[in-house]
Amino acid sequence: VSSTRTAPGSYRALQDLWGSAPALLARLPKGSLVLLDERVAGLHRVLPKAIVRRKPLRIVGLAAGEQAKSLPALGRVLEAASQLPRGATLLCIGGGTLGDLATVAAHLIKRGVELIHMPTTVLAAVDSSVGGKGALHVAAGRWTVKNAAGVFHYARQTWLCPELLETLDPAQLREGAIEAWKMFACLDAGLWRRSRRHRPGMLALIREGRRLKDSVCRRDPYELEGHRRVLNFGHTFGHVLETISRFRLSHGDAVGLGMLCALDVGRRIGITPDRVAREVEVGLDEGPGIMSRSDLARWLRRASTPSIQRLLAADKKAGPDAEMRMVLLHALGRAEVHAVPPRAWRALLPSWRAGGRP
Ligand SMILES: NC(=O)c1ccc[n+]([C@@H]2O[C@H](COP(=O)([O-])OP(=O)(O)OC[C@H]3O[C@@H](n4cnc5c(N)ncnc54)[C@H](O)[C@@H]3O)[C@@H](O)[C@H]2O)c1
Ligand SMILES: [Zn+2]
């Protein structure tokens, strides 16, 4: 006898609902478990009120931030979920860090429960709530390895609520915009050029970013074929920078600087034409706005070359023989994964540490 029902969290097409918070929350199944960013709860009093009306099992208030992607935080959520029946729903209201924690929890609770994301940062709306990935960081010696343990668990729906995004500050808006422009650069040259002429607003960035990311994830829901690796453009050095900064550098800003590194590496090994690298560097600066090369220098000067080497080796895209792989740009809208010999990035380090364009 075969079952036509799909397991909670298995791949499904994107299901986006847009609306006001009370209207969306009225759809919440009774008895759900709700993870709620404490800061967002304080800024938007409408949320706890609307949730309570749906008689949830529990509302777990959590502090957002990279420390939320940890085993202790996961423990808190699993404990709160101990009375949750199979077939129940976990709703996560917050940014990418709580979203990633919720994704891991939804995968583990009762061997998998339905997940609904209600992203409250542009970064989460554009990027992290699409594509089913969630992960925690693992402490390993001196450094914390970013996203070292994770799962694929696709959300049943995403509830998008523009009014919740009104309390984000310019830095938070920029961090989300950087991930959206990353997708334009790697996947859609036409959209990149149009965005250069007329800078898209927040809602357009969210719609286009979700559409592009979904188009990639749909072809390769579990990252078996490599299609979705292009989404990691800027993330190889981005993750290294986040780690070196001990997460004082936000994910979005680290990815912005990581894209500069990827452009330089691409030029160095003859993959990225200089004119493309220049266009993307200027476009990222004038579009979403990225930090400067002197910021890159400041962070890179904090770690020794062997430390950087070790952090790069811990990167999930490193090949079996520990050769490094990076997403590099061939042309606007076209990116591919390439093996990068260590001498390539080592040769660039002195210029990076001096704050110049190699
Ligand atoms: N799973 C994926 O595919 C994926 C993709 C991209 C990024 N990520 C992950 O996402 C994380 C970054 O996400 P993030 O930038 O949303 O971080 P975050 O969740 O820490 O949110 C950033 C800050 O914004 C605050 N905040 C959230 N919503 C707010 C609102 N509406 N108004 C005011 N403040 C608000 C939070 O309290 C927090 O202080 C990283 O850990 C990154 O690895 C995951
Ligand atoms: Zn990212």
Side-chain angles (χ1 to χ4, degrees):
V1 186
S2 69
S3 165
T4 51
R5 291 184 57 201
T6 52
S10 50
Y11 172 73
R12 55 196 78 187
L14 204 58
Q15 288 267 5
D16 289 355
L17 295 179
W18 292 75
S20 71
L24 290 168
L25 287 167
R27 311 174 73 102
L28 183 69
K30 296 239 163 81
S32 298
L33 179 66
V34 181
L35 302 194
L36 177 58
D37 181 325
E38 278 170 351
R39 175 147 181 236
V40 174
L43 290 167
H44 300 273
R45 299 307 303 161
V46 58
L47 289 170
K49 281 191 204 134
I51 298 165
V52 166
R53 257 180 244 132
R54 302 301 300 160
K55 303 200 178 355
L57 173 77
R58 281 270 294 275
I59 303 177
V60 183
L62 290 161
E66 299 298 329
Q67 81 292 336
K69 295 175 58 168
S70 66
L71 290 171
L74 177 66
R76 274 194 63 195
V77 178
L78 296 183
E79 204 182 307
S82 60
Q83 304 299 317
L84 202 67
R86 198 143 202 265
T89 297
L90 174 64
L91 167 67
C92 177
I93 307 177
T97 57
L98 293 194
D100 278 9
L101 170 68
T103 301
V104 175
H107 196 70
L108 294 175
I109 298 165
K110 301 289 179 295
R111 296 196 175 82
V113 292
E114 296 288 1
L115 172 66
I116 298 175
H117 282 302
M118 193 162 185
T120 65
T121 62
V122 177
L123 189 140
V126 160
D127 190 348
S128 61
S129 62
V130 186
K133 277 191 186 180
L136 306 180
H137 312 324
V138 174
R142 190 162 165 235
W143 304 103
T144 297
V145 183
K146 168 109 186 166
N147 294 339
V151 303
F152 282 100
H153 194 89
Y154 279 83
R156 183 160 64 80
Q157 284 179 348
T158 306
W159 293 350
L160 294 144
C161 184
E163 76 211 33
L164 296 180
L165 306 175
E166 280 164 15
T167 48
L168 294 167
D169 64 28
Q172 291 167 314
L173 296 174
R174 174 181 75 223
E175 290 155 25
I178 288 171
E179 292 274 18
W181 282 73
K182 169 205 77 180
M183 294 185 216
F184 303 171
C186 292
L187 295 165
D188 194 333
L191 191 51
W192 173 275
R193 291 197 190 96
R194 284 199 297 285
S195 304
R196 289 282 278 137
R197 286 195 295 273
H198 304 282
R199 208 156 58 138
M202 182 180 73
L203 295 185
L205 283 179
I206 293 174
R207 263 193 295 274
E208 297 294 1
R210 294 181 72 75
R211 183 182 60 75
L212 279 176
K213 183 161 180 188
D214 180 54
S215 70
V216 175
C217 295
R218 193 182 324 171
R219 292 176 65 196
D220 183 16
Y222 298 101
E223 203 162 316
L224 299 172
E225 312 289 338
H227 298 304
R228 57 185 284 174
R229 299 215 177 110
V230 297
L231 297 167
N232 289 322
F233 182 54
H235 283 58
T236 303
F237 278 91
H239 286 168
V240 169
L241 291 164
E242 274 185 278
T243 308
I244 293 174
S245 78
R246 301 205 182 271
F247 299 106
R248 267 175 294 163
L249 196 54
S250 75
H251 178 74
D253 283 333
V255 169
L257 293 175
M259 285 193 273
L260 297 185
C261 298
L263 294 171
D264 293 345
V265 170
R267 275 193 297 133
R268 171 102 199 159
I269 66 173
I271 303 283
T272 311
D274 186 57
R275 121 193 97 68
V276 172
R278 262 180 213 285
E279 163 60 18
V280 173
E281 185 162 348
V282 173
L284 289 173
D285 184 42
E286 294 176 355
I290 54 170
M291 290 185 151
S292 67
R293 284 186 176 272
S294 50
D295 294 304
L296 176 64
R298 196 158 51 82
W299 292 115
L300 283 179
R301 283 199 295 257
R302 292 185 177 224
S304 66
T305 305
S307 283
I308 295 173
Q309 169 85 62
R310 267 197 301 281
L311 292 173
L312 286 169
D315 190 89
K316 294 179 300 309
K317 290 166 295 301
D321 44 358
E323 80 185 343
M324 187 171 86
R325 310 244 175 115
M326 276 180 77
V327 180
L328 302 175
L329 220 53
H330 283 248
L332 258 187
R334 195 160 74 81
E336 277 171 34
V337 179
H338 286 273
V340 173
R343 64 175 185 282
W345 62 265
R346 276 167 185 270
L348 296 166
L349 260 184
S351 320
W352 286 343
R353 287 197 175 118
R357 184 175 188 264

